[in-house]
Amino acid sequence: MRLLEIAIGIILLGGAAWTVVKTYKGRGMSSFLILAFAVFLVALGLFFLFGAFGALLREFRVGAEWIR
């Protein structure tokens, strides 16, 4: 499940990067709205990535408790 969340996060970040590159030379309000949507995609992608890596870290800490 965590790998799926990581993949979703990477796809969202890639989509945001593609959106920014495609609208970089654009002007006007529509370009601004598309870039705002790209910021939303970045936030959503980082949410998925940090959530998945945080869960992996918590599971590793609980699973590695026998080391102490």
Side-chain angles (χ1 to χ4, degrees):
M1 188 66 180
R2 302 291 176 229
L3 290 176
L4 181 64
E5 288 179 358
I6 292 170
I8 290 171
I10 290 172
I11 289 169
L12 286 171
L13 289 176
W18 180 80
T19 303
V20 170
V21 167
K22 288 295 182 181
T23 60
Y24 178 70
K25 293 183 179 182
R27 301 282 185 255
M29 185 57 128
S30 64
S31 177
F32 176 74
L33 293 176
I34 291 172
L35 291 177
F37 179 68
V39 169
F40 170 73
L41 288 179
V42 167
L44 195 58
L46 289 176
F47 172 76
F48 274 105
L49 286 177
F50 282 123
F53 283 124
L56 282 174
L57 187 61
R58 278 191 303 269
E59 288 174 9
F60 177 72
R61 262 195 235 150
V62 170
E65 192 170 340
W66 62 272
I67 294 175
R68 291 190 226 172

